[in-house]
């Protein structure tokens, strides 16, 4: 076959020809430093319960959680995000167990900081694991009270800081909570405890498996009066601007994969580190397809997380953290 294009000036394929050329012009690189590993803690000893909608992810009792976190630290993972399964008898409307100084989260944080001091501990600030209604705030006549909830969130955040949390991460989406938490932490002397704000958190069907893990599905209605409408993009900038003004150290977009455009917009808007949460439903979809043999799990995971970096994420919360840390070794 004779070539008709001998003199084609631009041939982008020149830079894709060999593996070394491709490595040299690679624009984005996923590293273990980007990963935050979300973990689930439950009461008891020697407990390890797999979450059926999240194959490979377990709720661990504290003794086994410490082993899991030590493993993660040995793989080079810098940070964990801690979420508790709270028994029904400890739940109430105001989530009072959330600021119990001897609560599960507080005990877990103390133990983790004692045993594995090098790992950064990020705690979740929200009422849903502690709420009889499975909502992120106090319920009255079917609505979620904002300012009353924020008062509880401040107590929760301060109690987590007292236990030794490095960073508190409000995931509740109440208005004004970042500023109130900052003031509360400062007043209690925790100037150095940071805030990772779930700023652009959408009302998403991708959270289903997480709610299985924590038995925290809303008992009525949905979370659309506080979490964002997935159709909105400018509103994400508004939320981020407020959280920065109120004292956030880092901002987050959640979920990640269906919101890569939001990650990009926020990255262009702020100089703060931007985190993306590769949520439970995103994890479950990949695992389910891989179990069927329909996709190559490893390649899909790397491609997906790299797309989040490319969109602008500096940090990625992902249940794949340990798996990816191993792949990157
Ligand atoms: C609730 C919270 C949720 C997640 C993290 N914190 C669920 C929700 O808002 O209902 C979801 C995480 C995931 O799906 O992996 N404060």
């Amino acid at each position: 076959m004779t070539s008709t294009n001998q003199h084609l000036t631009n041939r982008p394929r020149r830079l894709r020809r060999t593996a070394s050329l491709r490595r040299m012009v690679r624009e984005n690189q996923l590293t273990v430093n980007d990963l935050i590993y979300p973990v689930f803690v439950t009461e008891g000893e020697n407990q390890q319960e797999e979450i059926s909608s999240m194959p490979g992810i377990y709720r661990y009792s504290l003794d086994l959680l410490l082993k899991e976190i030590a493993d993660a630290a040995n793989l080079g993972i810098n940070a964990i995000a801690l979420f508790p399964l709270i028994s029904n008898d400890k739940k109430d409307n105001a989530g009072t167990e959330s600021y119990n100084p001897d609560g599960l989260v507080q005990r877990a944080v103390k133990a983790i900081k004692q045993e594995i001091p090098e790992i950064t501990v990020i705690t979740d600030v929200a009422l849903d694991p502690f709420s009889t209604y499975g909502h992120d705030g106090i319920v009255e006549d079917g609505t979620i009270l904002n300012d009353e909830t924020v008062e509880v969130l401040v107590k929760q955040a301060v109690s987590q800081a007292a236990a030794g949390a490095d960073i508190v991460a409000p995931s509740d989406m109440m208005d004004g909570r970042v500023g109130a938490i900052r003031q509360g932490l400062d007043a209690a002397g925790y100037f150095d405890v940071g805030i990772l704000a779930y700023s652009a958190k959408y009302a998403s069907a991708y959270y289903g498996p997480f709610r299985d893990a924590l038995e925290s599905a809303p008992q009525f209605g949905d979370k659309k009066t506080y979490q964002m409408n997935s159709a909105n993009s400018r509103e994400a900038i508004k939320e981020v601007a407020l959280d920065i003004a109120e004292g956030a150290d880092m901002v987050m977009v959640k979920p990640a994969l269906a919101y890569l455009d939001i990650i990009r917009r926020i990255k262009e808007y702020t100089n703060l580190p931007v985190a993306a949460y590769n949520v439970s439903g995103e994890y479950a979809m990949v695992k389910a397809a891989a179990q069927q043999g329909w996709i190559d799990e490893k390649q899909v995971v790397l491609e997906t997380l790299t797309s989040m970096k490319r969109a602008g994420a500096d940090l990625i919360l992902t249940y794949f953290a340990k798996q990816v840390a191993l792949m990157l070794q």
Side-chain angles (χ1 to χ4, degrees), residues 67-248:
K67 292 202 176 81
E68 178 68 7
I69 295 175
D71 272 4
N74 286 334
L75 287 167
I77 292 170
N78 291 310
I80 58 123
L82 183 64
F83 297 96
L85 172 72
I86 302 297
S87 61
N88 280 327
D89 58 297
K90 293 209 171 97
K91 297 186 184 184
D92 60 25
N93 185 19
T96 50
E97 177 65 15
S98 70
Y99 53 88
N100 176 355
D102 298 315
L104 179 58
V105 168
Q106 289 80 357
R107 278 182 281 127
V109 171
K110 266 179 221 157
I112 297 163
K113 291 310 300 187
Q114 198 162 14
E115 299 283 320
I116 311 138
E118 70 273 22
I119 205 145
T120 293
V121 174
I122 303 173
T123 47
D124 182 55
V125 182
L127 299 191
D128 50 314
F130 307 93
S131 157
T132 19
Y133 296 107
H135 273 289
D136 293 44
I138 301 170
V139 178
E140 192 179 273
D141 301 330
T143 63
I144 313 303
L145 302 178
N146 192 87
D147 300 10
E148 293 80 351
T149 298
V150 170
E151 283 178 34
V152 181
L153 296 173
V154 172
K155 291 185 201 170
Q156 182 182 14
V158 170
S159 83
Q160 293 169 347
D166 297 291
I167 294 175
V168 297
S171 68
D172 57 288
M173 289 300 278
M174 296 301 118
D175 293 333
R177 91 285 204 206
V178 171
I181 289 170
R182 184 69 270 156
Q183 277 186 2
L185 290 173
D186 289 351
Y190 300 111
F191 316 102
D192 288 334
V193 171
I195 300 178
L196 165 58
Y198 286 65
S199 300
K201 176 169 176 180
Y202 288 88
S204 171
Y206 283 97
Y207 305 150
F210 175 97
R211 294 173 188 172
D212 295 341
L214 297 192
E215 298 172 0
S216 64
Q219 298 303 297
F220 69 87
D222 53 40
K223 297 192 174 185
K224 291 182 178 169
T225 68
Y226 44 106
Q227 299 178 349
M228 286 178 51
N229 184 339
S230 64
N232 293 357
S233 165
R234 280 175 297 157
E235 191 185 3
I237 301 294
K238 170 171 138 184
E239 286 284 2
V240 165
L242 286 169
D243 287 354
I244 294 173
E246 291 176 29

